[in-house]
Amino acid sequence: EDIYVLSQAICIALLILYENQQGFPRQRPVAFAVYGVMFLISLQVTVGNLTRLVPMMFLYLYSARHIHFARIARFSFHVCSVTVAFVVFTAYLGIIDNVVVAKGVRIREYLGFRYALYLPGLLLNITALWIYLHKDKVSIPGVLVLAVINTFVFIKTDSRISYALALFLLAASMLIRFLPAILDKIQWFWASMTSAFALFGALSFIFTAIYRSSVPWMRRLNSMMESRLSLGRRSLQSHGVRLFGQRISWVGNGLDANGNSSKQPYTYVDSLYIKNLQRYGSVFTCLFLALCTWAMVRLWKHKEHLLLIICASVAAHCVLDDLSFGLHYNTFWIAMSLAVLNPSALKWNSHK
């Protein structure tokens, strides 16, 4: 843990030195203020190393405003790919544990990670990065290889939402590659995606808040979502919602630092929208949704259709999985930040 804290301190020091060279921001003062408020709110409710990554993320997002996203995407793709391959390979060699958990007929392998959802989440990010980096040169062999890899991980981990979104993005990349003329004509479709975060956020809160187990269709929906609605509603009843958040520690199925699973009752809230609302408060959540919508509108106006559909997929993923809130699971927060702070950094023809 000391090494972890030290690495964070070094990163903050480097960011301060970098920003000192850039000088006080004269452009986008509203965005600067929003980032600052979200940083301060998230900082005051941190409960450990993992939650401390959230305020750190806003520092990274703001400091990345002068870096072309293609460079970041390429670096992230290679680092994530090598890391994932190394962990899975060492797990199969028996160097690190490959935990297998059976719940009824559902058998899930962790493949060297501390939870079954971690690898699919990382692989979804890798898939999206590969699609972005290849843009209009997406190849059928490459798509097939990624489809096979995602299918293998799905069979092992039974992570449905990450797998479904990965296949959706691969199919969408082929449509954009081979039918660009048709897609340019459906601007209403791209425009509708700009509201993805606000729409999914509102639906998550509404369905969670009104959930009643006595209503048959709600009970079926809750079952399809693996009890996420009932767990979310229970959390809302237990902790409520505050303006500036509160310190909450939910209990999940993941392993701790020593590789042990928790013996406490399961209380984890998977929906990022509900989780942010409770942990960081209504002010933070409203700013988060407004910032995301602002970014999506700018992506649409700059005709970044591929980024738009990837980010809309992230919005859908956040309904059922909170992992996308971490930069290591979703590099595209940087793309959305650049859409707000410096859209020219998203243009491939400006990248040398």
Side-chain angles (χ1 to χ4, degrees), residues 165-223:
L165 286 174
L167 293 187
F168 168 74
L169 287 177
L170 289 171
S173 70
M174 296 296 288
L175 288 174
I176 294 174
R177 167 72 172 85
F178 294 107
L179 299 172
I182 295 177
L183 295 177
D184 283 340
K185 296 178 180 179
I186 52 173
Q187 287 303 314
W188 60 269
F189 173 73
W190 303 113
S192 67
M193 286 192 178
T194 60
S195 61
F197 282 93
L199 177 63
F200 284 123
L203 289 176
S204 294
F205 178 75
I206 291 171
F207 278 96
T208 301
I210 68 172
Y211 173 73
R212 298 292 185 276
S213 59
S214 58
V215 181
W217 71 266
M218 288 187 180
R219 191 167 58 249
R220 288 193 296 270
L221 180 61
N222 184 52
S223 178

Side-chain angles (χ1 to χ4, degrees), residues 19 59 151 177 300:
E19 287 300 328
L59 297 180
T151 300
R177 167 72 172 85
W300 172 55

Side-chain angles (χ1 to χ4, degrees), residues 2 5 16 31 120 122 144 165 191 205 221 279 284 298 310:
D2 291 338
V5 174
I16 292 174
L122 289 168
L144 290 176
L165 286 174
F205 178 75
L221 180 61
R279 172 171 281 166
F284 178 96
R298 292 183 70 84
I310 289 173

Side-chain angles (χ1 to χ4, degrees), residues 6 29 35 63 73 101 140 189 214 227 254 267 278 314 316 320 327 348 350:
L6 178 62
Y35 278 60
S63 296
V101 175
I140 294 177
F189 173 73
S214 58
S227 300
T267 61
Q278 291 199 279
V314 171
L320 300 174
L327 273 177
W348 274 79
S350 65

Side-chain angles (χ1 to χ4, degrees), residues 113-190:
F113 292 85
R114 289 166 58 184
Y115 188 43
L117 294 181
Y118 291 172
L119 174 56
L122 289 168
L123 185 57
L124 176 61
N125 188 50
I126 291 170
T127 301
L129 286 169
W130 181 87
I131 291 170
Y132 172 78
L133 289 171
H134 287 79
K135 281 188 172 283
D136 55 354
K137 296 181 180 178
V138 168
S139 64
I140 294 177
V143 168
L144 290 176
V145 168
L146 279 170
V148 169
I149 294 173
N150 276 278
T151 300
F152 169 78
V153 171
F154 167 67
I155 292 172
K156 292 294 184 179
T157 64
D158 197 27
S159 178
R160 301 162 190 173
I161 182 64
S162 294
Y163 178 59
L165 286 174
L167 293 187
F168 168 74
L169 287 177
L170 289 171
S173 70
M174 296 296 288
L175 288 174
I176 294 174
R177 167 72 172 85
F178 294 107
L179 299 172
I182 295 177
L183 295 177
D184 283 340
K185 296 178 180 179
I186 52 173
Q187 287 303 314
W188 60 269
F189 173 73
W190 303 113

Side-chain angles (χ1 to χ4, degrees), residues 37 55 75 84 147 205 268 325 344:
V37 170
F75 177 81
V84 164
F205 178 75
Y268 202 81
F325 205 39
S344 63

Side-chain angles (χ1 to χ4, degrees), residues 328-348:
H328 48 305
Y329 286 101
N330 177 28
T331 311
F332 293 91
W333 290 131
I334 298 177
M336 295 179 67
S337 179
L338 287 174
V340 172
L341 299 173
N342 184 19
S344 63
L346 296 174
K347 300 297 182 182
W348 274 79

Side-chain angles (χ1 to χ4, degrees), residues 34 144 191 311:
V34 170
L144 290 176
C311 293

